[in-house]
Amino acid sequence: VVTLKRELNASDIARIAGVSRSTVSRVVNNYDNVTEETREKVLKAIEKYNYVPRASAQMLAGKKSKILGLFIVDTKSENYTVTTSSYFSPFMSGVIDEANKKGYKILTMVINNESDFISAKELFYNRTISGGVFIGCNNNEKHVMDIIRDEYKVVVLEQESGTNHFNKAIIVNSDSYGGAYAATKYLIELGHKRIAHIAGDERHWTAIGKLKGYKKALEDAGFPLDEDLVVKGNYTLESGLRAVKELLQNNKDLTAIFVANDTMALGVYEALEEMGIKIPDDISVIGFDDIEVSKYLRPALTTVKVSLLKMASISINNLIQAIDEESNYSVYYNIPVDIIIRESCKKL
Amino acid sequence: VVTLKRELNASDIARIAGVSRSTVSRVVNNYDNVTEETREKVLKAIEKYNYVPRASAQMLAGKKSKILGLFIVDTKSENYTVTTSSYFSPFMSGVIDEANKKGYKILTMVINNESDFISAKELFYNRTISGGVFIGCNNNEKHVMDIIRDEYKVVVLEQESGTNHFNKAIIVNSDSYGGAYAATKYLIELGHKRIAHIAGDERHWTAIGKLKGYKKALEDAGFPLDEDLVVKGNYTLESGLRAVKELLQNNKDLTAIFVANDTMALGVYEALEEMGIKIPDDISVIGFDDIEVSKYLRPALTTVKVSLLKMASISINNLIQAIDEESNYSVYYNIPVDIIIRESCKKL
DNA sequence: TTGTAAGCGTTATCAT
DNA sequence: ATGATAACGCTTACAA
């Protein structure tokens, strides 16, 4: 096993190939004003000495970074967010695949607190990344607005559109309102009358949309709105567990629960099992997201599927386009969702 | 909303603060040969104009990249690997958290084929990253060996140690052999005599260790080795499904299966349910990894837990140390595993 | 088609 | 303690 010292630069290659540095650069960058003959010579030298131009030198000389940031913000837990919430995992996967396809690399950061936000900003300011995607942040998050204000390229997921705070950003939302409306309507059509809702934190735009959709479906069905039937969680399993207990204390008669995400539904399953309440015989449960475990639960969880993979590819493609075109217009997507009917809801 | 143009560089800050570029650099890098007074002046200017040094310029001038690569190799599927295998997700999460804690960022790539390996190498060669972690690759993967030979800093998971191919690398393994031995012994102690094994692809070092551990436990118990009881999968759900069907065709009398990973166990569950065979009443099943869904399965899957989080932190800490010290010695870890007893194995 | 030279924004080595 | 100045390795006018 021979140890190769890899310290050659463009000048070395130039000397070896008997051309100038600029010609090497032209070959490396595939310019067409180079004779086939010259190109061959240079290519051979590059090949032979395994020459790869340094990214930092290329960037300093004017090329854009081929790295994109993926920022997963979760200010609830201090650690291991990606594990904690299997919601993020498919999105990350989609982002990585889509970016790699296009020759970009993904740098991932988990943001738990203020100082993480500062580090994230620095990646834009010091030009490590050419753009970034934020998922999981509060509506109108200040730090993200700062970055957009400074004209960096960013896509934000699940944000209110139409406010001029985000007038230079790419917004990609799932149809929380529509999904919630459909889920609630589905329960109503199954004959349920006392339908509860375990909501998310209202700082999240999705939580607001889901609550609205739930209320509208009730209203359209002519049901009175009972505020006792709505209790707030924060998208964690534990909060779902607590919420359902609180709910059942005040509402002995509820027959169905629309839970704002599957992770909280996991907590609902746990609490109900503990209390000896059967799903769906005693209480029907419908979730949101369709995370991986949902189909393995017994009874399998009926839920509203969010196409994280599609959202990922839309995010990345728009981001790359904005970077390539050096454009800064605003775009807004609202991705439809689907009800996945499994076993956790019963007809009354 | 005012648009800030952020084009200032160190010279600008120097002029504003009334000092030289070098002094700005000294302040930025926290050198101590600067008067408090001067430092203050510079800091104020930096603060006011929101100056952040460009990473590419710093690197070109000699600083090391604060980016580490995480390479998830999966040559089986062409897409969305991270989603496909929930095995990788907690590891990735641990890697990101641990690196972020230490001021490093993680750039993730999924490697599906040869050309992806080339891109991965380039990240080392062009100095985008200061080191990298490989997970999921075959034993003695050529491309990884190339990188190690060229003296870049790398940690490889689940690799054979002691071969001089990897004499300059950090190897982090889980105790596949010990875990397989313990799992098989557990089944034996439960009274099982006809114990099958659904193995992984033998190009993976873990698969080899698990097969050995299984055989040794059988041997120590004085059981004859029946090659019919061993069938190969490739760690995917589908392969587990196929394997168990093949197994049951040739062995009507088997009472327990040791499956080399939980993902294949998912396939086993599916196939057995389809065939009307009850777990654990008819057949006991034990898996490996303890992926997230395992505890939600009904019956909950008894399995061997691999501490991916611990392996992640060991990997990153050793990698960063090697980078900081510019050292290139080899290290080898063998992380213990634990049996998690749930509901899928029955005493005979 | 090719070469020369300026510039990108830092850090590091000298002087002072 | 601070300031000039020379790298670092590339791209890109501009010249030839």
Side-chain angles (χ1 to χ4, degrees):
Chain A
V1 180
V2 179
T3 294
L4 276 181
K5 270 278 157 263
R6 299 200 53 281
E7 301 297 338
L8 299 196
N9 59 24
S11 308
D12 298 320
I13 297 297
R15 196 175 351 93
I16 291 162
V19 299
S20 72
R21 280 209 323 249
S22 17
T23 300
V24 173
S25 176
R26 287 184 188 105
V27 172
V28 165
N29 293 292
N30 254 312
Y31 288 5
D32 48 10
N33 53 350
V34 182
T35 344
E36 256 330 294
E37 191 188 9
T38 323
R39 189 187 303 278
E40 280 306 319
K41 277 193 302 191
V42 175
L43 246 20
K44 205 181 311 180
I46 288 178
E47 188 79 7
K48 178 166 179 192
Y49 292 96
N50 202 4
Y51 165 73
V52 179
R54 301 227 176 168
S56 55
Q58 292 184 304
M59 284 184 57
L60 194 54
K63 292 198 158 189
K64 284 180 213 150
S65 166
K66 283 292 199 180
I67 304 180
L68 268 22
L70 170 58
F71 303 97
I72 295 171
V73 358
D74 179 355
T75 44
K76 295 183 296 292
S77 53
E78 275 302 303
N79 264 313
Y80 304 123
T81 305
V82 186
T83 302
T84 302
S85 170
S86 40
Y87 169 83
F88 294 127
S89 178
F91 183 76
M92 193 180 346
S93 187
V95 160
I96 292 172
D97 272 331
E98 199 65 31
N100 285 183
K101 260 185 226 161
K102 299 244 153 66
Y104 281 81
K105 305 288 178 288
I106 295 296
L107 187 159
T108 310
M109 252 195 82
V110 174
I111 298 184
N112 289 320
N113 50 46
E114 283 290 304
S115 91
D116 289 343
F117 263 121
I118 310 288
S119 317
K121 278 182 177 176
E122 241 150 36
L123 292 172
F124 287 89
Y125 295 158
N126 74 16
R127 302 294 202 275
T128 295
I129 58 178
S130 292
V133 179
F134 287 84
I135 183 172
C137 53
N138 291 342
N139 198 33
N140 290 326
E141 169 62 53
K142 178 189 168 307
H143 293 290
V144 178
M145 280 167 33
D146 286 348
I147 298 171
I148 295 170
R149 192 227 309 115
D150 289 345
E151 304 202 307
Y152 291 100
K153 308 288 183 273
V154 354
V155 1
V156 198
L157 274 85
E158 311 294 6
Q159 287 284 318
E160 187 170 4
S161 75
T163 73
N164 51 14
H165 300 302
F166 281 102
N167 58 355
K168 291 294 168 100
I170 299 157
I171 298 183
V172 179
N173 288 350
S174 57
D175 186 9
S176 300
Y177 174 85
Y181 186 92
T184 311
K185 190 169 171 214
Y186 171 69
L187 292 172
I188 292 170
E189 287 171 351
L190 248 29
H192 294 276
K193 298 217 150 33
R194 295 283 291 168
I195 302 170
H197 177 42
I198 299 181
D201 187 317
E202 72 269 14
R203 282 170 301 185
H204 282 269
W205 183 237
T206 52
I208 297 174
K210 288 167 189 172
L211 182 56
K212 273 194 193 146
Y214 159 79
K215 286 185 176 173
K216 187 64 161 67
L218 255 33
E219 185 191 322
D220 285 358
F223 291 1
L225 176 64
D226 182 350
E227 287 292 355
D228 263 12
L229 284 172
V230 177
V231 15
K232 269 188 188 84
N234 66 356
Y235 284 162
T236 62
L237 189 150
E238 293 70 27
S239 76
L241 200 150
R242 277 195 306 272
V244 73
K245 287 185 176 174
E246 185 183 331
L247 223 34
L248 290 175
Q249 244 163 7
N250 306 327
N251 306 276
K252 307 292 177 197
D253 57 343
L254 70 83
T255 63
I257 309 176
F258 163 46
V259 190
N261 78 342
D262 286 3
T263 305
M264 290 196 294
L266 255 30
V268 170
Y269 268 57
E270 209 174 303
L272 259 29
E273 178 157 17
E274 187 184 296
M275 298 192 276
I277 298 174
K278 293 274 178 254
I279 305 171
D281 293 331
D282 302 326
I283 290 184
S284 290
V285 176
I286 186 167
F288 213 107
D289 289 347
D290 193 28
I291 61 177
E292 194 195 4
V293 300
S294 301
K295 63 170 165 297
Y296 293 110
L297 292 176
R298 285 299 110 88
L301 181 63
T302 292
T303 188
V304 180
K305 182 186 180 63
V306 174
S307 299
L308 264 349
L309 250 30
K310 181 182 294 180
M311 292 172 78
S313 76
I314 288 178
S315 300
I316 291 301
N317 287 323
N318 277 274
L319 185 57
I320 292 178
Q321 191 183 345
I323 292 168
D324 286 348
E325 298 180 353
E326 316 214 353
S327 61
N328 240 336
Y329 48 82
S330 68
V331 200
Y332 169 72
Y333 288 89
N334 194 32
I335 312 299
V337 296
D338 295 303
I339 291 197
I340 307 289
I341 296 179
R342 290 200 270 247
E343 312 160 348
S344 63
C345 296
K346 190 182 84 164
K347 195 176 181 94
L348 281 196
Chain B
V1 178
V2 179
T3 295
L4 275 181
K5 270 276 158 262
R6 297 202 53 282
E7 300 298 337
L8 299 195
N9 61 21
S11 307
D12 298 319
I13 297 297
R15 196 173 352 91
I16 290 161
V19 298
S20 72
R21 277 202 334 239
S22 359
T23 301
V24 172
S25 177
R26 287 185 189 106
V27 171
V28 165
N29 293 291
N30 254 312
Y31 287 2
D32 48 9
N33 54 350
V34 182
T35 344
E36 254 332 291
E37 192 189 9
T38 321
R39 187 185 304 276
E40 280 305 318
K41 273 192 306 191
V42 176
L43 246 23
K44 205 179 312 180
I46 289 178
E47 187 77 6
K48 178 166 178 190
Y49 292 95
N50 203 4
Y51 164 73
V52 179
R54 302 228 175 166
S56 54
Q58 292 183 306
M59 285 184 56
L60 193 55
K63 291 200 158 187
K64 283 179 214 149
S65 166
K66 284 292 199 179
I67 305 180
L68 268 24
L70 170 58
F71 302 98
I72 295 171
V73 358
D74 179 355
T75 44
K76 294 183 296 292
S77 54
E78 273 301 304
N79 263 313
Y80 304 123
T81 305
V82 186
T83 302
T84 302
S85 169
S86 41
Y87 169 83
F88 294 126
S89 177
F91 183 75
M92 193 181 344
S93 186
V95 161
I96 291 172
D97 272 332
E98 200 64 30
N100 285 182
K101 260 186 224 162
K102 299 244 153 63
Y104 281 81
K105 304 288 179 284
I106 296 295
L107 189 158
T108 309
M109 251 194 83
V110 174
I111 298 183
N112 289 321
N113 50 46
E114 283 290 305
S115 91
D116 289 342
F117 262 120
I118 310 287
S119 316
K121 277 182 176 174
E122 243 153 35
L123 293 173
F124 287 90
Y125 295 158
N126 74 17
R127 302 295 202 276
T128 296
I129 59 178
S130 293
V133 179
F134 286 85
I135 183 170
C137 53
N138 291 344
N139 199 31
N140 289 326
E141 169 63 51
K142 180 191 167 305
H143 293 290
V144 178
M145 280 168 32
D146 286 349
I147 298 171
I148 295 170
R149 192 231 307 117
D150 289 347
E151 304 203 308
Y152 292 99
K153 308 287 182 277
V154 354
V155 1
V156 197
L157 273 84
E158 309 294 7
Q159 287 284 317
E160 187 170 4
S161 74
T163 75
N164 51 14
H165 300 302
F166 280 102
N167 59 355
K168 292 295 168 101
I170 298 157
I171 297 183
V172 179
N173 287 351
S174 57
D175 187 9
S176 300
Y177 174 84
Y181 186 92
T184 312
K185 189 171 170 213
Y186 171 69
L187 292 172
I188 293 171
E189 288 172 349
L190 249 28
H192 294 276
K193 298 216 149 35
R194 294 284 289 168
I195 301 171
H197 177 43
I198 300 181
D201 186 317
E202 71 270 14
R203 283 172 300 186
H204 282 270
W205 183 237
T206 52
I208 297 174
K210 287 168 188 172
L211 182 56
K212 274 195 193 145
Y214 159 80
K215 287 184 175 172
K216 186 64 162 66
L218 254 33
E219 184 191 324
D220 287 358
F223 291 4
L225 177 64
D226 182 350
E227 288 291 356
D228 263 11
L229 284 172
V230 176
V231 17
K232 273 191 185 82
N234 67 356
Y235 284 163
T236 62
L237 189 149
E238 293 69 27
S239 77
L241 200 149
R242 279 194 306 271
V244 73
K245 287 184 176 173
E246 185 183 334
L247 224 32
L248 289 175
Q249 243 160 8
N250 305 328
N251 305 277
K252 306 290 178 199
D253 58 343
L254 70 82
T255 63
I257 310 175
F258 163 46
V259 189
N261 78 344
D262 286 2
T263 304
M264 290 196 294
L266 255 29
V268 170
Y269 268 57
E270 208 173 302
L272 258 30
E273 179 157 14
E274 188 184 296
M275 297 194 275
I277 298 175
K278 292 276 178 253
I279 305 172
D281 293 331
D282 303 325
I283 290 184
S284 289
V285 176
I286 186 166
F288 214 107
D289 288 347
D290 193 28
I291 61 178
E292 194 195 5
V293 300
S294 301
K295 62 171 168 294
Y296 293 110
L297 293 176
R298 284 299 108 91
L301 181 63
T302 291
T303 188
V304 180
K305 181 186 180 65
V306 174
S307 298
L308 263 350
L309 250 28
K310 182 183 292 182
M311 294 173 77
S313 75
I314 287 177
S315 300
I316 290 302
N317 287 323
N318 276 274
L319 184 57
I320 292 178
Q321 192 183 345
I323 293 168
D324 286 347
E325 297 179 354
E326 317 216 352
S327 61
N328 242 337
Y329 48 84
S330 69
V331 201
Y332 169 71
Y333 287 89
N334 194 32
I335 310 298
V337 297
D338 294 302
I339 291 198
I340 306 290
I341 296 179
R342 290 201 270 246
E343 312 161 348
S344 62
C345 297
K346 191 182 83 163
K347 195 175 181 96
L348 283 195

